[in-house]
Each structure stands twice: as C-alpha cells, then as structure tokens.
Amino acid sequence: MMMSAEVAEVAAVAGLTVHHYLGVATILFGLGFAGVVSSRHLIRTLMCVELMLNAVNLVFVAINNHVNPSDLSGQVFAIFILTISAAEAAVGLAIVLALFKNTASVDVEDFSRLKW
Amino acid sequence: MMLEAISYTLIQTSFGQFIYNQNLAFLAPELVISLTLLMTFALSLAKTQVDQAKSWGIALLGSVVALVSIVMHYQLFYTGQASASQSVMFGMFEADLLSVVARFILTLGFILILHLSKRYVETRLPSQTGEFYTLLLTAFLGALLLCGANDMIMAFVALETLGISSYILTGYLRNNLKSTEASLKYLVYGGCSSAVLLFGLALIYGLAGGSTSFAVLPQALSQASDLGAWASLAIVMILAGIGFKVSAAPFHTWTPDVYEGSPTPITAFLSVISKLAAFVFAIRLLTPFAGVGNENVALLIGLLAVFSMIVGNVAALKQTNIKRLLGYSTIAHAGYMLVGLAALTQNSLGALLFYLATYVFMNTGAFASAMIGDELLASEDISAYSGLIKAKPWFVFAFSIFLLGLAGIPITAGFFAKFFLFQSVVLSDLGNLGVIIIALLASTVSLYYYLNIIKVMVIGEPSEQVQRLIGEGKDSTWNLSKTLTLATVICLIFTLGLGIFGQNGLLISESAMSDHGATVTQNLR
C-alpha cells in the first residue's frame, strides 16, 4: 500500500499531472455514457452506469491527491460513492429480474410500453 | 424539575455530550423519522395483514411528531434565540430557517401523501404494506436531509437515499408491466444523472481547494477569477444533474413515463416531495454562484427554464391520460420555478420557496382528485371524466379548483405564487423581460389543457362510466376513502388559503432566504 505522497512522487517521475488523471476519467465517463445510450442489453446498461460512477471516483481521488493530500475528504467521498453505487446495482438487478419474470426479455427495445 | 434532572444526567453521558456538542437536537425530525422507519420495518416482518396495516398509523404518528418538532424549532427563531440557526454534525447539515421552512412544507406534504396511500396500498398491495411505508419513510428521510445538506457528501447520500427508495417504490406493482418498466427507466436515468452531477461536484471540489463543504464555495469561486475549461464543464454538468432531479427539459424524458407507470401515491410523492427537496438542494448549491460568473450560470438556468416551459406546456396539449398530463404539467411548473432560480436574488428565491409551498398543495390535490377519479371511473383517461358533474358535483368542484390553481387563475394560491415569482424576477438585476414574456405566454398555453379537463367534466356528454354512476344513484355500494377525502379537503383549504394569506407566506419564505443568504455570505442581494 503506497502512501499518497509516494504515489505523487511516482506520478511526478513519470511526468503525470492531475490533468492526465482527469483526461482518463473523462474518457472513461464518456465511454460509460456512450454505453448507456447505445447498449441494448439491460445488464450491460447497468454496468455502464457503474463505469460512469467509477470515473467520478477517479476524479475525486486524483484531485484529492493533487490539491490537498493531507485531507482525505475526496477519498472518503469515493468510498461513499462505491457503497451507494453497490446499493444502486442491487436495486437495478432486482428490477431487471422483475422485468424478466414479466416479459422473459432483457432487451431494451422490448420496453416501450410507455410512450406518447 | 424532573425533566431537567433527566436531561442533565443525559448530557453527562458521552453519547449525551456528543448530541449536545454536535447540536443533534436540531436533527430531531430526521431522528424521529428514522425511529418510525425502524418500527414499520419491524412490522413488515409480521405475517398477518392486520399487523401490517398498523404501519400506516405509525408512519402518520411519526410524521406528526416530526412536524411538531419542526414547529418548535421554528419558534426559536421568533423568541430571539441566538442559537436558532445552527450547523449540525461538523457543518454537514445547516439547520437554518430555510431548512426549517422547507422541512415544514415537506412534512405537511408527506402527511398528505400518507393519506393518499392508505386505501391504495390496502387494496392493491395488502401483503406488503409494512415494506411500502418503510420505503416511503426512507425516501422521505432522504428528502428531509437534503433540505439542510451543506456538504457534498451529505447532499449526495441524501439524494441517493431519496432516489434509490423511489426507484423501488416506482416498481412496486411487481406484476404490472408498466410499473416495472417505469422503475427501470427511472433507475437508468437516475443513475446516469447522479454520475453527471457527481462529476461536476468532483471538479468543483477541486476548485474549492479540496473541501467538500458548500460553505467554502463562495470564497473559492470568487478567487478563481477566470473559471477555466474544467470549471465551465463542472457548471454545465451540475446544472444537467439538477435539471434531471427537478425534471427540467431537455432532461425531462423520464418524467411522463415514470409518472404514468408508478402507483399514483408514488407519482404524487415524486412530483411533490422529490421536487421540493431537489429545489432546496439547488438553491443551496447555486447560491454561491450569485455574483461570480453569474451571467453564464443565469443564462444556462434560464435556457433550462425556457425549454421546460415550452416542452412541458406544448406536449401536455395532446395528452389523454390524466397522470401523464399532470407529468407534463410538472415539467412546465419546473420551468416557472427555474425562472426564479435563474435570477438568484433573495426575493426571487423567497418567491420560489413560496411557489413550491403552493405547488405542493395544488399538485397533491390534483393527484388526489386523479385517484378519486380512478376509483369512481376505473380509468385514467380524460374522456372518461366527461359529464361527471351530473354524478359527483362536489368532486368536480374540488378538481376544478386544483386545476385553476395550477393554471394560475386569481383567488387560488397558484396565481399569487406566479405573480410574486415573476414580479421578483422583473425587479432583479437580471431583469430579463424575454424570459418573463415566454413564461407568461407559456402559462396562457397551459390554460388550454387545464380548462379543457374542466370543460369536459362540466359540459361534456356523460361517458359510459359516468352513466353507470348516475344509474346507480344513491344505491351505489361504492364508498369513498375517508383519508383520501380528508387529504383533498386539506389541499383545497390550503390552495385557497395560501391565496388569501399569500403575503404572509411570502414574508416567511423571504426571511428564510435572508437567513440562508446571511449564512452563505453577503452574496445574495
């Protein structure tokens, strides 16, 4: 387990700044969003939502290390996000299960009973 | 004497010390609701339906006690107690006048929603009564905490407590395809919007120098003189996330679907409780932006407002399902309220809070009427209401008042709320008459679909269902749910009463905002 100062040191040697982390996180976030919009399988949609939340975790941890390494509020926030996204995934899977019992399908295209 | 001795002994314990030091007494409503929630949860394990049915009474008792504790806290502000406005839990929760007023309205609204739910749950979900109220109370707890959340972590956890419970409640009619589908849509949209909001918050966290508290935002934002690309991205993402939570266009697409598919009491809960809590959260998060980079933030919120007003009102014109129509009307109302948020002055936010208060009663009343209509006619189609005045004149009267209130016709509270809101925006620095003109035009358009329902009920030819009702006459075995009637009458009283005593209501909400503005710094004018 590396201390945050060591992480910062290694990152500095590799020429990594906070902008690199933010860039990676933004790309991950974009991939997650693209997945939510485009995937037809419900489970995959839920996984993409998780990916978006994990990208946010990366931003919090990177910014925490960059701005204020002695205060761990960003890392604590990341743990809260992990916990809550786990709860959300559990509820999401339960809903998918209920839908599957009703319709025997997990294809997004099959769920269009509600529309104007 | 006795009481003092007991409280003195309590304070001596370390737990008592913690409660005392962290001002936990100001979280009394939340603590009461948490206890109530545990009790209903224990009852939900009971096998018999008789035992489960008790959970309604417990939930009601809990919310009434919470209401009393809020009123007691409110009194502190008027007896001149210096400690009336307090930071609770290391500044995570701000127990100021804004949170007290918002929680008061919220609790009143929740008590009404409980009255709406009773018969519905007894008849449709008899074996899951305990669970239903447990989840409803959990969602309500999240909403209460959101009203005072003054820290990103607190706000996020409160938001998700409210959100995740709402996802489950939306899909509570497990074997109903519409309900489960609505639940899924809500969950996916909700999860995405939370992620977007969090991404924005994460960037703001960086700008604020690594602090999650909203309290440091004003200073941090004024120092970051040139808000760079990341800051602009953060603002856009936060507004998108808030736009979803308050169902503002173009982030509204989930609203009509979820409103149509949910059990009707839950639809009322989402349109009233969730929206009120989300707006208070938006007020707390966006107040620090008043003054710094104000123009861009105001412009973006203004755009959201204009989109919502146009999309909500135009799409509502061609709806035939009453719940769906009310869903679009909710989007339009979010638009009017966002106009007040865009101006970001003390008066406009005060008027916004007053608007929210009147909206709670009008909209709950409209949904209560839709539920009575559903019981009477077994249909959610507006055409089924045709000629209803011949069978149930009092019901038509009550429903018409709520619809007139939502349309903003004088005497009802809806008119004064709109009037105060638009007036305060015209008087603000923003002074953007374009937005106000669009808002006025949009409310004119809304007259069409609200009055259309009244027209159908009053002068339409009786529909099949109404003819059956008239045929049954006095022999009808149908009996109206007492709690539902009570909720409708209370909503009616408030819809008319807040119109008559509107000025007093506005004064209270404005003083709430000035208290909030004072705690945030002098940013608010």
Side-chain angles (χ1 to χ4, degrees), chain B residues 315-486:
Chain B
L317 291 177
K318 56 183 237 184
Q319 298 305 321
T320 53
N321 179 306
I322 186 82
K323 273 162 81 181
R324 219 175 161 77
L325 182 134
L326 287 173
Y328 278 108
S329 121
T330 305
I331 297 170
H333 279 273
Y336 306 137
M337 293 188 243
L338 283 169
V339 173
L341 191 61
L344 266 187
T345 62
Q346 198 167 302
N347 287 341
S348 78
L349 292 182
L352 165 63
L353 193 61
F354 180 69
Y355 196 108
L356 280 164
T358 61
Y359 170 83
V360 164
F361 297 108
M362 295 185 303
N363 224 28
T364 315
F367 276 109
S369 306
M371 285 183 75
I372 296 177
D374 193 22
E375 281 196 18
L376 279 173
L377 311 164
S379 169
E380 289 173 358
D381 252 0
I382 293 170
S383 57
Y385 285 76
S386 183
L388 193 55
I389 196 164
K390 296 195 179 73
K392 301 281 170 196
W394 283 107
F395 167 69
V396 171
F397 169 73
F399 198 6
S400 305
I401 295 285
F402 297 133
L403 291 171
L404 290 176
L406 287 170
I409 303 288
I411 306 181
T412 62
F415 168 75
F416 293 100
K418 273 207 181 81
F419 176 73
F420 293 144
L421 189 70
F422 294 161
Q423 185 196 32
S424 66
V425 176
V426 171
L427 293 178
S428 73
D429 277 2
L430 183 75
N432 198 333
L433 283 179
V435 179
I436 297 296
I437 290 168
I438 293 174
L440 290 176
L441 285 177
S443 17
T444 319
V445 173
S446 77
L447 274 178
Y448 173 79
Y449 58 85
Y450 290 127
L451 293 184
N452 182 43
I453 303 178
I454 301 179
K455 188 201 86 182
V456 165
M457 288 193 297
V458 175
I459 58 172
E461 284 295 308
S463 66
E464 236 174 85
Q465 291 97 324
V466 173
Q467 273 169 352
R468 184 175 48 78
L469 276 178
I470 296 174
E472 282 174 6
K474 291 233 177 344
D475 310 328
S476 166
T477 52
W478 180 77
N479 68 321
L480 189 59
S481 160
K482 284 199 187 63
T483 50
L484 193 52
T485 319
L486 182 65

Side-chain angles (χ1 to χ4, degrees), chain A residues 57-108:
Chain A
N57 282 343
L58 192 57
V59 177
F60 266 114
V61 175
I63 288 186
N64 189 352
N65 251 337
H66 172 69
V67 184
N68 197 355
S70 60
D71 175 278
L72 293 179
S73 54
Q75 310 211 12
V76 172
F77 205 152
I79 290 174
F80 271 98
I81 295 173
L82 279 179
T83 321
I84 283 174
S85 68
E88 201 168 291
V91 170
L93 289 175
I95 291 169
V96 172
L97 197 64
L99 264 177
F100 185 72
K101 276 186 185 160
N102 285 340
T103 60
S105 163
V106 283
D107 191 335
V108 174

Side-chain angles (χ1 to χ4, degrees), chain B residues 7 58 73 101 154 180 205 208 235-236 284 304-305 332 348 394 397 408 421 426 443 469:
Chain B
S7 56
I58 294 179
H73 187 182
V101 172
M154 185 69 171
T180 35
Y205 165 75
I235 290 169
V236 170
R284 275 193 198 282
L304 280 182
S348 78
W394 283 107
F397 169 73
L421 189 70
V426 171
S443 17
L469 276 178

Side-chain angles (χ1 to χ4, degrees), chain A residues 19 29 36 42 46 56 59-60 63-64 67 73-74 77 84 88 91-92 95 102-103 111-116, chain B residues 152-153 157 160 164 174 177 180-181 183-185 187 191-192 195 198-199 202 205-206 209-210 230 237 257 324:
Chain A
H19 290 279
F29 191 85
V36 171
L42 277 182
L46 291 180
V56 174
V59 177
F60 266 114
I63 288 186
N64 189 352
V67 184
S73 54
F77 205 152
I84 283 174
E88 201 168 291
V91 170
I95 291 169
N102 285 340
T103 60
F111 304 118
S112 52
R113 250 159 244 99
L114 296 164
K115 61 176 151 191
W116 59 337
Chain B
M152 288 177 197
I153 299 180
V157 173
E160 290 299 291
I164 294 179
R174 233 176 277 161
L177 283 177
T180 35
E181 186 184 316
S183 175
L184 176 83
K185 285 185 176 167
L187 179 110
C192 278
L198 274 176
F199 201 96
Y205 165 75
W230 288 114
M237 287 186 127
D257 290 358
R324 219 175 161 77

